[in-house]
């Protein structure tokens, strides 16, 4: 300490002491301040606790007062709601008693023009019926609303009928023709839509049908539907037939002007008219073919419409009923065509059966689409077309066979033979008949195949049918050849007989070649063409032999042997005179006779004339040369009547009835 005291000056110690005392004083003041604040805080806390305690006490008092009031209010609200519900139920129940009165005017006036409002009105009636049935089934009000409901349903049914009747119209023929037309120049065909009912009307009909099914418990409307639509379908097809009749009578063009029609059944090659062909019948055939196509198209359209209106499980049956009248009429018309063909066969008018071919071909070409359209209908409905096809095939095959027999058995009537030896009517008719089969090769072949007794007839191929038809044509031609040979015997003159056979054989060959029948014939008879050429050549040779009686007088037979300048004996002179006279008389007789004969084929006519001129002229010139220096008469011009050139001119006029 002594040392410290000695080290720190006295003044510094005093200053330090004062500083410490000052800080101590400040700390004491701060402590006093804190204590005061703590006391104030304690006082405030006590005050707050007192206030909160008081507030809690008051809240408890308030709660004890409010809760009973709240419960009373809830009860009052519940009571109010029950009263409201009761009043609402009362109003609802009371409303059922007023439904009949409230809906009377709308029901009486009907649904026309306000279907939605009408259906809403019926819905009210229906609910009233349900209410009374459940709650008061003995009340008179139930009978009232039931009667009103039935009346409403009755008027809906009437509206369904009226809408269908008023707006269902036959499809115009032009539109049908456009719908069934095929334009081969268009890669994609533009489908013609057939609209049977206006869209708004259709929607109303669909709506009514739906209501009748769901609420009306009524299927009568389906009968109404098929009867009305069936009538329109039938009228549409009859309208198309009438269109054909009128337009064909006036212009001969019954087709739609809107679309160029190129039908599958239209031959690509012009077919000659058959004997006695009736243009009216042709129109009927064409009309029937179009009506078959129209039926398929219209039936498909009707089915599409029916799907929107008729319930699913009734659609097939309704469609079956809907198409019956039109289908039956078409099948009846087809049966009439078959009957007409049968009567024609009985009259031996086999050309009439050709009406069957285009129809049958069209039926078979469209059978798959026909079957598809009738899918789901009754078996009796689906079998109608196959039955008609079978009938047509049977009568067609019968006609073909009887025609072949008729060619074979046609009687040799002298008065029916061409006096000029030209082509016989039997030949031209037979060839014409066969030519017209060209456009129906598949159809005719199938006809013949349908009559085969083999169980595999149904599986015959197109190639097999073609061979059958070729065999048939060869049979007809063979029968024709035999008959012509028989007929030729009617001619007493062998030369005319040869000309007759030549003309007929030549006509057959040229006709086969021109009409392409030859390709069909050669399927089974490879040498047909050469065989006919041989027959023709044989008849030319036979004809030329008729000139032997003329040219035999020009031969050296019996000619006297003499030396130049030697005088002939009377007998020798007479021989030469007889030869001249025999040649002159024979030439004149043949030329006079044969000038009236005919060889229609110019090429053949010129060939025969030319070859005959050569033979006769050469023989005559040689004869004249041998007699040139012989004095056998004082009047040589009496015997040497014709110069070789004159003889050639006479032969050149053979077979020329106009000369």
């Amino acid at each position: 300490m002594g040392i410290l005291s000695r080290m720190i000056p006295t003044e510094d110690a005093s200053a330090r002491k004062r500083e410490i005392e000052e800080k101590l004083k400040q700390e004491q003041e701060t402590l006093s301040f804190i204590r005061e604040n703590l006391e104030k805080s304690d006082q405030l806390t006590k005050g707050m606790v007192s206030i909160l305690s008081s507030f809690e006490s008051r809240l408890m008092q308030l709660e004890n007062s409010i809760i009973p009031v709240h419960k009373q209010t809830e009860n009052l609200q519940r009571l109010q709601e029950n009263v409201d519900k009761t009043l609402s139920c009362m109003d609802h129940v009371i409303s059922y008693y007023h439904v009949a009165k409230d809906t009377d005017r709308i029901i009486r006036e009907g649904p026309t023009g306000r279907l939605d409002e009408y259906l809403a009105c019926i819905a009210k009636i229906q609910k009233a019926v349900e209410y009374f049935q459940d709650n008061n089934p003995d009340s008179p009000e139930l009978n009232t609303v039931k009667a009103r409901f039935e009346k409403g349903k009755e008027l809906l049914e009437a509206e369904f009928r009226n809408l269908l009747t008023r707006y269902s119209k036959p499809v115009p023929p032009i539109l049908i023709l456009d719908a069934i037309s095929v334009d081969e120049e268009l890669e994609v065909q533009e489908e013609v839509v057939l609209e049977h009912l206006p869209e708004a009307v259709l929607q109303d009909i669909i709506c009514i049908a739906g209501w009748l099914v769901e609420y009306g418990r009524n299927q009568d409307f389906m009968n109404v539907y098929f009867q009305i639509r069936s009538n329109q379908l039938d009228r549409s097809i009859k309208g198309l037939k009438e269109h054909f009749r009128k337009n064909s009578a006036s212009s001969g063009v019954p087709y739609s002007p809107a679309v160029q029609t190129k039908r599958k059944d239209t031959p690509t090659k012009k077919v000659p008219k058959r004997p006695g062909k009736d243009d009216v019948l042709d129109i009927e055939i064409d009309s029937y073919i179009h009506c078959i196509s129209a039926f398929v198209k219209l039936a498909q359209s009707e089915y599409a419409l029916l799907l929107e209106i008729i319930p699913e499980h009734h659609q097939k049956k309704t469609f079956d009923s809907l198409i019956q009248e039109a289908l039956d009429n078409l099948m009846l018309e087809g049966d009439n065509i078959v009957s007409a063909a049968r009567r024609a066969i009985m009259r031996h008018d086999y050309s009439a059966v050709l009406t069957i071919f285009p129809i049958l071909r069209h039926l078979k070409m469209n059978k798959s689409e026909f079957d598809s359209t009738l899918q789901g209908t009754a078996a009796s409905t689906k079998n109608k077309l196959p039955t008609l096809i079978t009938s047509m095939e049977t009568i067609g095959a019968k006609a073909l066979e009887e025609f072949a027999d008729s060619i074979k058995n046609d009687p040799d009537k002298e008065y029916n033979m061409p006096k000029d030896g030209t082509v016989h009517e039997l030949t031209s008719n037979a060839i014409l008949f066969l030519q017209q089969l060209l456009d129906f090769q598949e159809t005719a072949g199938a006809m013949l195949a349908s009559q085969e007794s083999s169980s595999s007839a149904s599986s015959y191929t197109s190639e097999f049918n073609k061979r059958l038809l070729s065999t048939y044509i060869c049979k007809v031609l063979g029968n024709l050849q035999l008959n012509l040979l028989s007929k030729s015997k009617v001619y007493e003159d062998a030369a005319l007989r040869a000309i007759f056979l030549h003309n007929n054989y030549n006509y057959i060959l040229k006709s086969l070649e021109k009409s392409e029948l030859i390709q069909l014939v050669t399927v089974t008879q490879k040498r047909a063409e050469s065989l006919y050429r041989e027959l023709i050549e044989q008849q030319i040779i036979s004809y030329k032999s008729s000139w032997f009686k003329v040219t035999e007088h020009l031969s050296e037979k019996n000619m006297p042997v003499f030396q130049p300048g030697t005088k002939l004996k009377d007998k020798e002179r007479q021989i030469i005179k007889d030869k001249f006279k025999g040649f002159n008389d024979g030439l004149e007789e043949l030329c006079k006779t044969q000038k009236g004969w005919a060889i229609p084929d110019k090429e053949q006519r010129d060939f025969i004339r030319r070859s005959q001129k050569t033979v006769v002229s050469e023989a005559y010139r040689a004869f004249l040369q041998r007699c040139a220096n012989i004095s056998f008469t004082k009047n040589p011009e009496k015997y040497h009547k014709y110069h070789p050139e004159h003889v050639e001119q006479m032969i050149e006029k053979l077979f020329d009835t106009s000369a």
Side-chain angles (χ1 to χ4, degrees):
M1 183 70 180
I3 297 171
L4 183 60
S5 299
R6 285 193 297 268
M7 289 179 63
I8 300 172
T10 305
E11 293 180 1
D12 290 341
S14 296
R16 180 67 176 165
K17 182 180 179 183
R18 285 194 299 272
E19 181 179 349
I20 291 171
E21 289 176 350
E22 186 65 32
K23 284 184 179 179
L24 181 60
K25 185 181 179 180
Q26 289 177 354
E27 291 294 333
Q28 288 175 344
E29 290 176 355
T30 300
L31 182 60
S32 296
F33 177 76
I34 290 172
R35 283 175 179 162
E36 290 176 0
N37 284 334
L38 284 173
E39 289 176 358
K40 289 180 181 178
S41 178
D42 287 341
Q43 290 175 0
L44 289 172
T45 299
K46 290 177 181 179
M48 181 59 69
V49 169
S50 176
I51 291 170
L52 287 173
S53 297
S54 175
F55 185 69
E56 182 181 6
S57 175
R58 291 179 180 180
L59 280 177
M60 290 178 66
Q61 291 176 2
L62 181 62
E63 184 178 346
N64 290 333
S65 300
I66 291 299
I67 286 175
V69 174
H70 177 68
K71 288 182 177 178
Q72 289 177 0
T73 302
E74 282 185 341
N75 291 334
L76 288 172
Q77 287 177 339
R78 194 175 294 111
L79 289 171
Q80 180 65 40
E81 289 175 359
N82 289 338
V83 169
D84 290 342
K85 287 181 179 178
T86 302
L87 290 174
S88 177
C89 288
M90 289 296 293
D91 289 341
H92 184 66
V93 169
I94 292 170
S95 70
Y96 288 134
Y97 287 86
H98 295 293
V99 163
K101 180 180 178 182
D102 294 343
T103 59
D104 180 64
R105 181 182 60 83
I106 295 176
I107 294 300
R108 276 191 292 103
E109 292 177 356
T112 304
R114 52 174 177 184
L115 182 60
D116 291 341
E117 181 185 3
Y118 192 84
L119 290 177
C121 187
I122 287 190
K124 290 180 182 179
I125 298 172
Q126 191 173 4
K127 287 180 180 178
V129 171
E130 292 170 356
Y131 170 79
F132 288 119
Q133 284 177 334
D134 293 340
N135 297 281
N136 195 0
D138 297 326
S139 66
E141 284 79 6
L142 176 59
N143 293 332
T144 302
V145 290
K146 270 188 174 181
R148 188 59 47 83
F149 181 80
E150 291 301 320
K151 180 64 176 178
K153 184 173 75 170
E154 181 185 319
L155 290 178
L156 273 177
E157 292 169 354
E159 179 69 0
F160 182 87
R161 178 189 294 274
N162 291 338
L163 287 175
L164 268 179
T165 304
R166 188 181 314 130
Y167 292 99
S168 290
K169 305 294 181 186
V171 180
I174 297 297
L175 192 57
I176 296 175
L177 287 169
D178 288 346
I180 63 177
S181 295
V182 176
D183 192 337
E184 295 175 352
E185 296 177 0
L186 295 177
E187 292 184 4
V188 179
Q189 297 296 319
E190 182 178 350
E191 186 175 356
V192 178
V193 179
L194 301 176
E195 292 185 355
H196 297 287
L197 297 168
E199 183 59 29
V201 173
L202 174 60
Q203 292 307 317
D204 281 355
I205 289 174
I206 292 172
C207 188
I208 295 173
W211 188 93
L212 290 172
V213 170
E214 185 173 0
Y215 302 109
R217 307 290 188 270
N218 186 314
Q219 296 182 5
D220 291 343
F221 77 94
M222 290 183 247
N223 295 331
V224 171
Y225 179 84
F226 90 69
Q227 289 167 0
I228 293 174
R229 294 307 308 169
S230 173
N231 181 257
Q232 296 309 317
L233 173 61
D234 190 53
R235 287 178 62 194
S236 296
I237 294 175
K238 287 178 177 175
L240 180 62
K241 288 178 63 177
E242 183 66 14
H243 175 79
F244 266 82
R245 188 186 66 79
K246 287 183 178 178
N247 284 272
S248 299
S250 59
S251 63
V253 185
Y255 310 117
S256 164
V259 176
Q260 181 65 35
T261 306
K262 294 184 179 179
R263 304 186 317 284
K264 295 177 183 178
D265 53 288
T266 302
T268 55
K269 186 173 180 183
K270 187 174 181 181
V271 180
K273 284 184 176 290
R274 65 179 181 270
K277 184 177 182 182
D278 188 351
D279 290 336
V280 174
L281 183 59
D282 281 348
I283 294 166
E284 290 178 358
I285 295 168
D286 213 19
S287 170
Y288 186 69
I289 287 173
H290 277 76
C291 287
I292 290 290
S293 295
F295 171 79
V296 173
K297 185 66 67 175
L298 290 170
Q300 291 171 347
S301 180
E302 286 291 347
Y303 188 68
L305 178 66
L306 177 146
L307 292 179
E308 298 188 73
I309 299 171
I310 303 300
E312 183 176 359
H313 54 289
H314 291 285
Q315 288 168 358
K316 293 295 184 182
K317 182 179 179 182
T318 304
F319 178 66
D320 197 339
S321 301
L322 190 156
I323 62 174
Q324 284 303 314
E325 183 177 5
L327 181 59
D328 285 345
N329 285 339
L330 282 176
M331 295 303 105
L332 178 61
E333 189 173 352
D335 290 339
N336 290 339
I337 292 171
V338 171
S339 298
R342 186 176 290 109
R343 289 193 297 271
I345 293 172
M346 293 176 66
R347 299 192 306 269
H348 307 294
D349 178 12
Y350 302 104
S351 62
V353 83
L354 291 169
T355 60
I356 295 286
F357 285 80
I359 295 173
L360 179 57
R361 179 174 65 180
H362 187 75
L363 291 178
K364 295 181 77 171
M365 286 173 61
N366 289 274
K367 184 177 182 298
S368 60
E369 189 175 8
F370 210 102
D371 291 344
S372 176
T373 302
L374 300 186
Q375 187 176 6
T377 58
S380 58
T381 301
K382 288 186 284 191
N383 288 336
K384 286 180 180 178
L385 182 66
T387 300
L388 178 59
I389 288 176
T390 300
S391 296
M392 287 191 170
E393 284 189 327
T394 301
I395 196 66
K398 178 178 174 64
L400 290 176
E401 290 303 323
E402 291 200 14
F403 174 76
D405 291 340
S406 74
I407 295 298
K408 181 179 179 180
N409 301 318
D410 187 71
D412 306 331
K413 298 176 181 177
E414 185 174 351
Y415 66 84
N416 200 32
M417 296 294 289
K419 299 188 184 313
D420 56 1
T422 190
V423 178
H424 197 281
E425 184 181 12
L426 179 68
T427 303
S428 58
N429 287 349
I431 293 299
L432 184 56
F433 186 89
L434 295 179
Q435 283 175 337
Q436 292 183 92
L437 295 183
L438 274 176
D439 291 288
F440 307 100
Q441 293 182 41
E442 185 62 32
T443 305
M447 274 183 181
L448 296 169
S450 70
Q451 304 306 302
E452 292 290 315
S453 58
S454 169
S455 60
S456 61
S458 60
S459 62
Y460 287 148
T461 63
S462 177
E463 187 60 32
F464 181 84
N465 293 349
K466 189 174 183 179
R467 291 188 65 82
L468 274 182
L469 183 58
S470 176
T471 301
Y472 171 77
I473 291 174
C474 290
K475 177 182 177 181
V476 172
L477 293 175
N479 290 349
L480 178 60
Q481 182 181 340
L482 290 173
N483 198 310
L484 289 172
L485 195 59
S486 175
K487 288 183 185 303
S488 68
K489 295 174 182 177
V490 171
Y491 295 115
E492 295 180 0
D493 192 322
L496 180 56
R497 189 181 309 144
I499 289 297
F500 170 76
L501 290 174
H502 164 273
N503 283 333
N504 282 271
Y505 293 154
N506 184 64
Y507 177 84
I508 293 170
L509 177 60
K510 291 295 176 66
S511 298
L512 292 179
E513 292 173 336
K514 287 179 182 178
S515 65
E516 300 174 6
L517 269 171
I518 194 68
Q519 284 88 341
L520 197 52
V521 170
T522 53
V523 170
T524 53
Q525 179 53 268
K526 304 296 183 185
R527 292 191 63 246
E529 193 169 359
S530 60
L531 288 173
Y532 272 109
R533 294 195 187 284
E534 290 172 10
L535 288 172
I536 292 168
E537 183 61 30
Q538 288 173 8
Q539 299 311 317
I540 291 176
I541 293 171
S542 296
Y543 163 73
K544 287 181 177 179
S545 65
S546 68
W547 282 84
F548 290 166
K549 63 182 180 182
V550 176
T551 56
E552 67 178 353
H553 297 290
L554 305 178
S555 67
E556 294 185 1
K557 183 181 179 181
N558 299 326
M559 278 291 286
V561 180
F562 57 89
Q563 296 294 328
T566 303
K567 186 176 181 182
L568 295 177
K569 298 177 181 179
D570 291 344
K571 183 179 179 180
E572 293 173 334
R573 285 197 299 273
Q574 189 60 44
I575 289 174
I576 296 175
K577 289 178 182 178
D578 289 344
K579 281 183 174 289
F580 267 104
K581 186 175 187 306
F583 172 77
N584 293 336
D585 291 347
L587 176 67
E588 291 169 357
E589 181 185 350
L590 276 185
C591 287
K592 180 181 178 182
T593 300
Q594 295 185 8
K595 188 174 74 171
W597 297 354
I599 299 180
D601 188 320
K602 184 178 185 302
E603 183 180 346
Q604 288 289 309
R605 184 170 66 244
D606 291 345
F607 170 75
I608 292 174
R609 283 172 175 171
R610 189 166 54 250
S611 61
Q612 203 56 44
K613 276 193 302 182
T614 301
V615 172
V616 176
S617 179
E618 287 179 357
Y620 188 48
R621 289 178 191 277
F623 175 74
L624 291 178
Q625 190 173 2
R626 286 195 299 273
C627 298
N629 298 318
I630 300 176
S631 177
F632 65 92
T633 180
K634 295 179 180 179
N635 301 308
E637 66 279 357
K638 177 181 177 182
Y639 298 97
H640 188 186
K641 293 173 63 175
Y642 302 107
H643 293 288
E645 293 78 8
H646 191 191
V647 170
E648 291 178 355
Q649 291 174 3
M650 293 172 70
I651 295 174
E652 187 64 33
K653 293 180 179 179
L654 295 178
F655 317 118
D656 186 359
T657 55
S658 63

